Amino acid sequence: MTYRGFLAELLMAECDDRSRRRSERRIKAAGFPRDKSLRTFDFDANPKHRRGHHPHARQLRMDQDADGTPRNQPGPAGGGARGR
């Protein structure tokens, strides 16, 4: 690796680290009650739920409700937010 390549890698690592720390600082400053993520979720607490598995995942579509009715259908043309 050349010296320029080394400096480029070092600069990228520093930029990534600064970005990560900036995000952590902003989250802490926002005063959220606690940090939650799927990484810390205890999947063993409920044996019915397995990591990455949802029993109905293949049946559901993002544009349909659970009963299959479409979501967010557009209203009449020119109706606007108040339906004039």
Side-chain angles (χ1 to χ4, degrees):
M1 175 181 285
T2 65
Y3 186 69
R4 280 188 128 168
F6 169 75
L7 287 179
E9 292 288 327
L10 185 63
L11 179 62
M12 291 298 294
E14 179 67 21
C15 289
D16 291 343
D17 190 51
R18 285 184 181 203
S19 177
R20 180 188 53 80
R21 285 184 283 145
R22 184 181 312 118
S23 294
E24 290 173 357
R25 190 172 52 250
R26 287 179 176 168
I27 289 171
K28 187 175 180 179
F32 295 130
R34 62 182 171 183
D35 186 27
K36 295 180 182 180
S37 73
L38 287 177
R39 286 182 230 149
T40 60
F41 185 77
D42 184 15
F43 285 94
D44 297 328
N46 187 347
K48 289 178 68 177
H49 296 285
R50 295 190 317 238
R51 182 183 307 271
H53 174 74
H54 188 274
H56 306 292
R58 291 189 179 146
Q59 298 171 3
L60 294 177
R61 291 180 43 184
M62 295 304 290
D63 59 345
Q64 294 178 345
D65 286 329
D67 63 355
T69 57
R71 291 186 190 166
N72 300 328
Q73 290 185 350
R82 296 184 184 161
R84 292 184 216 168

